[in-house]
């Protein structure tokens, strides 16, 4: 009888741990999409081209810094690390394109609204899903808010 109780308790413990791990996972892709959606709205509401450029620069830099901190703090799987690196490369290319760096032509002032929409499409259509723990997700949100 004690063996049956021990076995039952073990099964329940394993199920509880499994459920907790799935319940505490968060999709970082959605966090990035939400943050950049707010950026696009801010760009469209701003009249000055210099302010639009500054908003986009700040947003790209925040996302890149958040990815760097996630990589340094979290123990990620090889696939998660590759996905984050892919995001980082894409964001760096968009930042370089915005500022005319690394062989890109600088985005003209009158095209900043369109560029922000194009960048948002890039982030939303990326076929990447990175699932991380809730602690890491909270870290990302805090980083984005503090920067």
């Amino acid at each position: 009888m004690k063996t049956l109780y021990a076995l039952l308790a073990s099964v329940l413990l394993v199920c509880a741990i499994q459920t907790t791990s799935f319940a505490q996972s968060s999709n970082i892709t959605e966090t990035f999409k939400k943050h950049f959606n707010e950026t696009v709205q801010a760009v469209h509401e701003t009249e000055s081209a210099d302010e639009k450029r500054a908003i986009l620069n700040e947003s790209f830099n925040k996302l890149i810094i958040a990815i760097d901190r996630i990589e340094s703090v979290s123990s990620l799987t090889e696939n998660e690390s590759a996905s984050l690196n892919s995001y980082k490369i894409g964001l760096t290319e968009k930042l370089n394109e915005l500022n005319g760096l690394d062989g890109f032509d600088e985005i003209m002032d009158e095209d900043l609204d369109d560029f922000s929409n194009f960048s948002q499409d890039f982030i939303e259509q990326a076929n990447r899903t990175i699932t991380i723990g809730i602690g890491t997700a909270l870290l990302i949100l805090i980083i984005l808010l503090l920067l």
Side-chain angles (χ1 to χ4, degrees):
M1 196 65 155
K2 288 184 180 182
T3 308
L4 182 60
Y5 286 133
L7 183 61
L8 182 60
S10 297
V11 169
L12 288 175
L13 181 63
V14 168
C15 289
I17 291 171
Q18 180 74 12
T19 303
T20 303
S21 68
F22 282 122
Q24 290 187 352
S25 64
S26 175
N27 187 340
I28 192 170
T29 308
E30 294 304 319
T31 305
F32 286 165
K33 288 178 183 179
K34 181 181 177 198
H35 172 74
F36 207 78
N37 183 39
E38 293 168 359
T39 299
V40 170
Q41 290 175 358
V43 167
H44 286 279
E45 292 171 359
T46 304
E47 295 296 322
S48 168
D50 291 335
E51 288 179 34
K52 290 180 183 196
R53 192 173 302 277
I55 291 168
L56 287 167
N57 272 318
E58 182 181 345
S59 182
F60 285 130
N61 284 323
K62 280 183 180 182
L63 290 173
I64 291 169
I65 290 169
I67 290 171
D68 287 339
R69 289 190 182 165
I70 292 166
E71 290 175 334
S72 68
V73 173
S74 300
S75 57
L76 302 172
T77 66
E78 190 173 314
N79 288 339
E80 291 170 338
S81 182
S83 293
L84 277 175
N85 193 40
S86 175
Y87 265 125
K88 185 177 175 181
I89 289 169
L91 291 170
T92 303
E93 286 179 357
K94 295 294 176 209
L95 183 63
N96 289 340
E97 187 176 354
L98 175 66
N99 296 309
L101 303 173
D102 204 22
F104 289 101
D105 291 332
E106 183 177 19
I107 301 298
M108 303 301 289
D109 290 346
E110 60 272 6
D111 296 330
L112 288 171
D113 286 338
D114 293 336
F115 179 75
S116 68
N117 290 333
F118 175 73
S119 298
Q120 182 180 23
D121 290 343
F122 165 78
I123 291 173
E124 289 185 357
Q125 293 176 0
N127 191 15
R128 304 173 204 110
T129 301
I130 306 166
T131 303
I132 56 174
I134 193 72
T136 307
L138 290 174
L139 175 68
I140 294 165
L141 290 173
I142 292 168
I143 291 169
L144 291 174
L145 291 174
L146 291 177
L147 294 177

